[in-house]
Amino acid sequence: MTGGSQKAAVTAEMVASGDRAALARAITLMESRRPDHREAARALLQRLMPLTGKAVRIGITGVPGVGKSTTIDTLGSMLTEKGHKVAVLAVDPSSTRTGGAILGDKTRMARLAADPNAFIRPSPSSGTLGGVAAKTRETMLLCEAAGFDVILVETVGVGQSETAVADLTDFFLVLMLPGAGDELQGIKKGILELADLIAVNKADDAGAKAKAAAAEYKAALHILAPASPTWTPPVLTVSGLTGQGLDELWTKVLDHRKRLEATGELAAKRRAQDTKWMWALVHERLHERLAHDPALRQRVPEIERAIADGTLSPNAAASEVVKLLGI
């Protein structure tokens, strides 16, 4: 049996039963660019949709070196001990030249990698803005259908578009380093506006600095209007290494969920996310048409030469491309 037919053989029943090998094959099918695989993936996800939507979805971001993977390893292990099934979608940076990625998150999450109640799926970001893999949302839904009730989405780092992560998840956690000062000056206002909780990490060996940083972030949050009228983002000090503060962090996540469910905000947020994701998929498919349309491929080099020669403006060229697409 070929690799392609193996992927196509994955059934909704196999994924729903919690079969980890089937889940991994279903995700690979979802990530495939082959037209027949894409059709099979769409049909599979449609069948599994009634089983999705029950998990707690948490996005986790922070600058490189803040300790995201260590924190996720400790937090995830704590949650599996409490009886949860945890899926970690760890997006690794890709080479913009080759598309390759190191995919080293499993080695940085040693406990979770060996935990039967955890599932780690590293996937290359493939140059996607904001460090979210193109199929992260579909992967999240497949994990929910397979019975995982906590989904942790780890991003590449603080980049240009954290909204990509916020638009996938219910709760957006921003990890910060101790010693606010200069770091606070470099933080984008938009990231603070997206945060549902700020956690100053590495409080185990920089306790005083972590507390000082937390006070700075609290002061900064006071001047921003909260995204929800029912939730003011708290600031905690934690240690991803020792687990200090992670119980309190999880309590805040559950409190946030309870409040937003009570007001209907969570359901409204997810509906808005679904609409945004639809448009993201529309843009992706239009881009694919641009790349593969025979008429365009024949005409584009000529259009690009005209732009380079200065005989055609980029605006006029864009109109011509759109016309060729029949839009």
Side-chain angles (χ1 to χ4, degrees), residues 79-266:
L79 293 175
T80 58
E81 284 171 14
K82 290 176 182 286
H84 293 284
K85 290 188 71 181
V86 179
V88 180
L89 310 184
V91 184
D92 266 309
S94 299
S95 163
T96 53
R97 207 157 45 84
T98 65
I102 298 170
L103 303 177
D105 279 287
K106 278 198 173 184
T107 63
R108 296 194 297 271
M109 300 179 193
R111 280 176 293 177
L112 274 187
D115 193 324
N117 288 313
F119 179 82
I120 301 174
R121 180 69 181 203
S123 53
S125 59
S126 305
T128 308
L129 187 66
V132 180
K135 297 299 177 184
T136 302
R137 184 176 178 85
E138 283 86 349
T139 300
M140 179 175 69
L141 294 173
L142 288 172
C143 288
E144 288 183 351
F148 291 91
D149 62 332
V150 179
I151 314 289
L152 305 177
V153 183
E154 180 196 3
T155 68
V156 170
V158 177
Q160 295 179 55
S161 183
E162 257 57 37
T163 54
V165 188
D167 285 341
L168 288 171
T169 54
D170 307 324
F171 190 92
F172 191 60
L173 168 63
V174 179
L175 291 177
M176 296 295 193
L177 287 165
D182 294 337
E183 287 90 343
L184 186 60
Q185 300 304 316
I187 294 167
K188 291 183 180 178
K189 180 186 172 188
I191 293 169
L192 291 181
E193 286 176 331
L194 289 172
D196 291 305
L197 187 148
I198 291 177
V200 182
N201 198 19
K202 306 190 179 183
D204 53 305
D205 61 1
K209 280 188 176 181
K211 285 178 184 175
E216 292 277 359
Y217 295 130
K218 280 179 187 173
L221 286 170
H222 277 310
I223 63 172
L224 299 174
S228 165
T230 56
W231 182 256
T232 301
V235 181
L236 305 179
T237 56
V238 303
S239 170
L241 191 63
T242 67
Q244 175 190 330
L246 294 185
D247 255 322
E248 186 183 358
L249 189 155
W250 178 244
T251 299
K252 296 290 185 188
V253 171
L254 295 180
D255 185 26
H256 173 271
R257 186 178 182 84
K258 185 179 175 183
R259 291 193 195 190
L260 266 64
E261 278 183 335
T263 61
E265 287 174 78
L266 184 62

Side-chain angles (χ1 to χ4, degrees), residues 1-11 25 29 34 36-37 40:
M1 187 182 282
T2 66
S5 56
Q6 279 181 330
K7 290 173 194 170
V10 179
T11 66
R25 292 207 310 276
L29 177 69
R34 273 179 46 174
D36 58 329
H37 288 172

